[in-house]
Amino acid sequence: MSSRSDLPRTQITMPFVMALLLLFLPTGGLRAVPGARLRELPAPSPCPTGLVWHGGKLWLADHKTDALMELDPTSGKVTRSLRSPGRRPMGLASGRGLLWNADAASGWIYGLDPATGHTKASFESPRPYPIALAWSGKALWLYTRGAKNIHLIDAEDGTTMRSTPVPGTSVDGLAFDGRYLWIVDRISDRVYVQDPGRDEVIFSFATPGPHPTGIAFDGRSIWIVDYQQRRIAKLVHDDGQVVARTSRHLLDVEHTFELHNHGPDRLERADLFLALPARHPTFELVGPLELLAPGSKTVTDQWGQRAAHYVFDRVASGATLKVGWRARARLFEVSAFPYPHKVGPLGQLPAEARRYLADADKYDLRHPAIQKAVREAVGGEKNPYWAARRIYRYIHKRMVYKLSGGWNAAPRVLARGSGSCSEYSFVFIAMCRAAGIPARYVGAVVLRKDLASWDDVYHRWVELYLPGLGWLPVDPSRGDKPTEAERGDAFGNLTADFLVTTQGGGGSSALRWTYNHDARWSCQGRCLVRDESIAEWSPVKTQASPARGVAGGAPAP
């Protein structure tokens, strides 16, 4: 990236404040997020597979020794060992006083009395090669190799009662905490937390090791065993923290905005607005933000968005106006862990959030198409989280991503069935607001895969307010993907690819409906005016950076 040292500079100080994170966090202090590691134990066997909590102890299956072992959860020592009824014990579950074991080789499910080791119940798995088990409270959740669904089966005879989709690529362990199904995927090395009644992934996190094979819930914590490392990790289930940030990149970025008057007549006046990066959990500025041109006045719109306003008079034919800013920024991955049952009713909205229920021309909340869409999507759902998820899914079933130019209003976009990131955002905001859920948009310059890269397309997504949780990021266009894992990831999480410039409710007094920048001009006569903008990224040379950015790059704009 060129230093552009010939351009005059104006400094705007924006020191890092830890309160950035509180934009998303409810009050009550910082705690550990689900999946945070508490401690580890050695696995006492060579090929550990299934894991379950039963009778105040951990039970571990091993498919080489064909043993089912009771472990002291403090020391990891084996306190008792039973012979597996089958030849390849995999998943374990605990229910009706029995220790249930899925045996991959025989294809049978066995229920053992852990006190005696006697088999008290058995039935053939409804599908071959059973791998993972969990007790639902009345029945067994079962996954068999290669299946596209996890099945709830009767523990008497294996009859399938209902199914929920596999969120990712594989299922290698299951646990049920009374509300949500915890699914271990050894291909993606992630745990997916899924509501089995709604078939939606609410959040996910990376596993402690590279080959997870079993997962258990002890009533307070999650346990995961790793086949490769032969370790058992104890993890946080719920400690009250909603959001975690992980630092990923330290980069220099320069955003420039140019306005070209190709004439043949002059511009009587041109007003250029440059969005000034807002405080946001996705980044920290390291040092001051530098404006690349003097003469601006800082303005603040009705949403609190700050912008540098430049006024140019009598811009000659052939002239180019250039403004911009330069910054050094640390980018963060933001991960949210929202338990839907903790979301309060919409009657508990604070006054600040209620501002983001207002109508605007791009939303058109009272339009019959929006009203009809909300009725069809939300139905009688009362929980604001699930109402928003139903809107999210409704949009994905009716739209495809298409960058065709222009930002149409939500009713027209919904009727057309396609849109850009901004248009997906307008539809999602309109439907959420019409359903009584506060929503706003966020705009950013984007790191495009490589750390040394440029962005001239940018990206916009949504933040919605949920009582008891606060503001939650939702990226409707990025979430329009085929798997539950991908859809769930875009509902609450942001990759470390964004420097947020804009946060607004719509129809800004400074930026109008744009983000990053805006231009207005007048001409007496004939003027052909074109604008051009670009954000250029460079890794800081002192940083030992990886060769590439976040795998998969930024979401589609």
PDB file of all heavy atoms in Angstrom, residues 17 43 149 154 168 172 213 274 332 367 431 437 469 473 521 531:
ATOM      1  N   VAL A  17     -11.294   1.282  24.238  1.00  0.00           N
ATOM      2  CA  VAL A  17     -12.043   1.255  25.494  1.00  0.00           C
ATOM      3  C   VAL A  17     -12.622  -0.143  25.672  1.00  0.00           C
ATOM      4  O   VAL A  17     -13.240  -0.667  24.753  1.00  0.00           O
ATOM      5  CB  VAL A  17     -13.191   2.299  25.472  1.00  0.00           C
ATOM      6  CG1 VAL A  17     -13.944   2.278  26.786  1.00  0.00           C
ATOM      7  CG2 VAL A  17     -12.640   3.683  25.205  1.00  0.00           C
ATOM      8  N   ALA A  43      -7.274 -39.655  29.270  1.00  0.00           N
ATOM      9  CA  ALA A  43      -8.155 -40.792  29.018  1.00  0.00           C
ATOM     10  C   ALA A  43      -7.371 -42.063  29.333  1.00  0.00           C
ATOM     11  O   ALA A  43      -6.237 -42.225  28.882  1.00  0.00           O
ATOM     12  CB  ALA A  43      -8.629 -40.794  27.576  1.00  0.00           C
ATOM     13  N   ASN A 149     -29.759 -37.423   9.181  1.00  0.00           N
ATOM     14  CA  ASN A 149     -30.555 -36.983  10.322  1.00  0.00           C
ATOM     15  C   ASN A 149     -30.137 -37.721  11.585  1.00  0.00           C
ATOM     16  O   ASN A 149     -29.590 -38.835  11.535  1.00  0.00           O
ATOM     17  CB  ASN A 149     -32.042 -37.229  10.072  1.00  0.00           C
ATOM     18  CG  ASN A 149     -32.606 -36.346   8.980  1.00  0.00           C
ATOM     19  OD1 ASN A 149     -32.776 -35.150   9.168  1.00  0.00           O
ATOM     20  ND2 ASN A 149     -32.877 -36.937   7.823  1.00  0.00           N
ATOM     21  N   ASP A 154     -37.485 -45.010  20.112  1.00  0.00           N
ATOM     22  CA  ASP A 154     -38.062 -45.644  21.294  1.00  0.00           C
ATOM     23  C   ASP A 154     -37.035 -46.595  21.890  1.00  0.00           C
ATOM     24  O   ASP A 154     -36.449 -47.430  21.189  1.00  0.00           O
ATOM     25  CB  ASP A 154     -39.321 -46.413  20.882  1.00  0.00           C
ATOM     26  CG  ASP A 154     -40.142 -46.879  22.075  1.00  0.00           C
ATOM     27  OD1 ASP A 154     -39.543 -47.464  23.006  1.00  0.00           O
ATOM     28  OD2 ASP A 154     -41.362 -46.675  22.068  1.00  0.00           O
ATOM     29  N   GLY A 168     -23.716 -30.393  10.481  1.00  0.00           N
ATOM     30  CA  GLY A 168     -22.474 -30.233   9.731  1.00  0.00           C
ATOM     31  C   GLY A 168     -22.197 -31.410   8.824  1.00  0.00           C
ATOM     32  O   GLY A 168     -23.049 -31.849   8.057  1.00  0.00           O
ATOM     33  N   ASP A 172     -20.269 -37.480  15.830  1.00  0.00           N
ATOM     34  CA  ASP A 172     -19.403 -38.445  16.498  1.00  0.00           C
ATOM     35  C   ASP A 172     -19.673 -38.525  17.992  1.00  0.00           C
ATOM     36  O   ASP A 172     -19.029 -39.316  18.687  1.00  0.00           O
ATOM     37  CB  ASP A 172     -17.941 -38.082  16.225  1.00  0.00           C
ATOM     38  CG  ASP A 172     -17.644 -38.099  14.734  1.00  0.00           C
ATOM     39  OD1 ASP A 172     -17.317 -39.166  14.209  1.00  0.00           O
ATOM     40  OD2 ASP A 172     -17.776 -37.045  14.090  1.00  0.00           O
ATOM     41  N   THR A 213     -14.664 -37.598  20.001  1.00  0.00           N
ATOM     42  CA  THR A 213     -15.482 -38.777  19.742  1.00  0.00           C
ATOM     43  C   THR A 213     -16.635 -38.954  20.728  1.00  0.00           C
ATOM     44  O   THR A 213     -17.526 -39.754  20.473  1.00  0.00           O
ATOM     45  CB  THR A 213     -14.617 -40.051  19.781  1.00  0.00           C
ATOM     46  OG1 THR A 213     -13.855 -40.070  20.998  1.00  0.00           O
ATOM     47  CG2 THR A 213     -13.672 -40.110  18.595  1.00  0.00           C
ATOM     48  N   LEU A 274     -17.879  11.253   4.761  1.00  0.00           N
ATOM     49  CA  LEU A 274     -17.014  10.104   5.003  1.00  0.00           C
ATOM     50  C   LEU A 274     -17.339   9.548   6.387  1.00  0.00           C
ATOM     51  O   LEU A 274     -17.119  10.221   7.403  1.00  0.00           O
ATOM     52  CB  LEU A 274     -15.560  10.551   4.938  1.00  0.00           C
ATOM     53  CG  LEU A 274     -14.473   9.501   4.813  1.00  0.00           C
ATOM     54  CD1 LEU A 274     -14.595   8.746   3.491  1.00  0.00           C
ATOM     55  CD2 LEU A 274     -13.105  10.157   4.916  1.00  0.00           C
ATOM     56  N   PHE A 332     -11.109  -8.570  15.142  1.00  0.00           N
ATOM     57  CA  PHE A 332     -11.521  -9.632  16.052  1.00  0.00           C
ATOM     58  C   PHE A 332     -12.604 -10.499  15.425  1.00  0.00           C
ATOM     59  O   PHE A 332     -13.473 -10.001  14.710  1.00  0.00           O
ATOM     60  CB  PHE A 332     -12.092  -9.044  17.347  1.00  0.00           C
ATOM     61  CG  PHE A 332     -11.079  -8.356  18.210  1.00  0.00           C
ATOM     62  CD1 PHE A 332     -10.752  -7.027  18.000  1.00  0.00           C
ATOM     63  CD2 PHE A 332     -10.458  -9.034  19.246  1.00  0.00           C
ATOM     64  CE1 PHE A 332      -9.824  -6.379  18.792  1.00  0.00           C
ATOM     65  CE2 PHE A 332      -9.528  -8.401  20.054  1.00  0.00           C
ATOM     66  CZ  PHE A 332      -9.204  -7.071  19.822  1.00  0.00           C
ATOM     67  N   HIS A 367     -46.600  -1.939   4.513  1.00  0.00           N
ATOM     68  CA  HIS A 367     -46.910  -2.475   3.191  1.00  0.00           C
ATOM     69  C   HIS A 367     -47.539  -3.860   3.341  1.00  0.00           C
ATOM     70  O   HIS A 367     -47.079  -4.679   4.152  1.00  0.00           O
ATOM     71  CB  HIS A 367     -45.643  -2.562   2.349  1.00  0.00           C
ATOM     72  CG  HIS A 367     -45.900  -2.824   0.901  1.00  0.00           C
ATOM     73  ND1 HIS A 367     -46.255  -4.063   0.413  1.00  0.00           N
ATOM     74  CD2 HIS A 367     -45.852  -1.988  -0.191  1.00  0.00           C
ATOM     75  CE1 HIS A 367     -46.408  -3.999  -0.893  1.00  0.00           C
ATOM     76  NE2 HIS A 367     -46.165  -2.749  -1.281  1.00  0.00           N
ATOM     77  N   MET A 431     -38.956  -6.802   8.402  1.00  0.00           N
ATOM     78  CA  MET A 431     -39.790  -7.844   8.997  1.00  0.00           C
ATOM     79  C   MET A 431     -39.605  -7.908  10.510  1.00  0.00           C
ATOM     80  O   MET A 431     -40.576  -8.114  11.252  1.00  0.00           O
ATOM     81  CB  MET A 431     -39.481  -9.188   8.335  1.00  0.00           C
ATOM     82  CG  MET A 431     -39.953  -9.272   6.882  1.00  0.00           C
ATOM     83  SD  MET A 431     -39.691 -10.907   6.132  1.00  0.00           S
ATOM     84  CE  MET A 431     -40.835 -11.919   7.086  1.00  0.00           C
ATOM     85  N   ILE A 437     -39.447  -6.335  16.863  1.00  0.00           N
ATOM     86  CA  ILE A 437     -38.065  -6.603  17.276  1.00  0.00           C
ATOM     87  C   ILE A 437     -37.166  -5.484  16.759  1.00  0.00           C
ATOM     88  O   ILE A 437     -37.047  -5.302  15.544  1.00  0.00           O
ATOM     89  CB  ILE A 437     -37.580  -7.953  16.725  1.00  0.00           C
ATOM     90  CG1 ILE A 437     -38.512  -9.082  17.169  1.00  0.00           C
ATOM     91  CG2 ILE A 437     -36.146  -8.229  17.172  1.00  0.00           C
ATOM     92  CD1 ILE A 437     -38.263 -10.397  16.443  1.00  0.00           C
ATOM     93  N   LEU A 469     -30.379 -10.268  26.299  1.00  0.00           N
ATOM     94  CA  LEU A 469     -29.136 -10.571  25.601  1.00  0.00           C
ATOM     95  C   LEU A 469     -28.445  -9.316  25.094  1.00  0.00           C
ATOM     96  O   LEU A 469     -27.228  -9.231  25.096  1.00  0.00           O
ATOM     97  CB  LEU A 469     -29.394 -11.511  24.416  1.00  0.00           C
ATOM     98  CG  LEU A 469     -29.790 -12.949  24.737  1.00  0.00           C
ATOM     99  CD1 LEU A 469     -29.966 -13.742  23.449  1.00  0.00           C
ATOM    100  CD2 LEU A 469     -28.756 -13.629  25.616  1.00  0.00           C
ATOM    101  N   PRO A 473     -25.432  -9.706  16.376  1.00  0.00           N
ATOM    102  CA  PRO A 473     -25.194  -9.570  14.933  1.00  0.00           C
ATOM    103  C   PRO A 473     -25.855 -10.698  14.151  1.00  0.00           C
ATOM    104  O   PRO A 473     -25.769 -11.869  14.531  1.00  0.00           O
ATOM    105  CB  PRO A 473     -23.666  -9.641  14.833  1.00  0.00           C
ATOM    106  CG  PRO A 473     -23.245 -10.444  16.007  1.00  0.00           C
ATOM    107  CD  PRO A 473     -24.225 -10.133  17.107  1.00  0.00           C
ATOM    108  N   TRP A 521     -24.244  16.461  -5.101  1.00  0.00           N
ATOM    109  CA  TRP A 521     -23.678  17.546  -5.913  1.00  0.00           C
ATOM    110  C   TRP A 521     -24.768  18.210  -6.731  1.00  0.00           C
ATOM    111  O   TRP A 521     -25.851  17.666  -6.946  1.00  0.00           O
ATOM    112  CB  TRP A 521     -22.574  17.001  -6.831  1.00  0.00           C
ATOM    113  CG  TRP A 521     -22.980  15.798  -7.652  1.00  0.00           C
ATOM    114  CD1 TRP A 521     -22.856  14.496  -7.314  1.00  0.00           C
ATOM    115  CD2 TRP A 521     -23.610  15.826  -8.942  1.00  0.00           C
ATOM    116  NE1 TRP A 521     -23.357  13.685  -8.296  1.00  0.00           N
ATOM    117  CE2 TRP A 521     -23.813  14.477  -9.318  1.00  0.00           C
ATOM    118  CE3 TRP A 521     -24.004  16.844  -9.809  1.00  0.00           C
ATOM    119  CZ2 TRP A 521     -24.410  14.122 -10.524  1.00  0.00           C
ATOM    120  CZ3 TRP A 521     -24.591  16.491 -11.011  1.00  0.00           C
ATOM    121  CH2 TRP A 521     -24.784  15.152 -11.362  1.00  0.00           C
ATOM    122  N   ASP A 531     -18.237   8.390  -9.090  1.00  0.00           N
ATOM    123  CA  ASP A 531     -17.464   8.255  -7.851  1.00  0.00           C
ATOM    124  C   ASP A 531     -16.733   6.926  -7.842  1.00  0.00           C
ATOM    125  O   ASP A 531     -17.095   5.990  -8.559  1.00  0.00           O
ATOM    126  CB  ASP A 531     -18.347   8.411  -6.610  1.00  0.00           C
ATOM    127  CG  ASP A 531     -19.425   7.358  -6.504  1.00  0.00           C
ATOM    128  OD1 ASP A 531     -19.077   6.168  -6.423  1.00  0.00           O
ATOM    129  OD2 ASP A 531     -20.620   7.714  -6.483  1.00  0.00           O
TER     130      ASP A 531
END
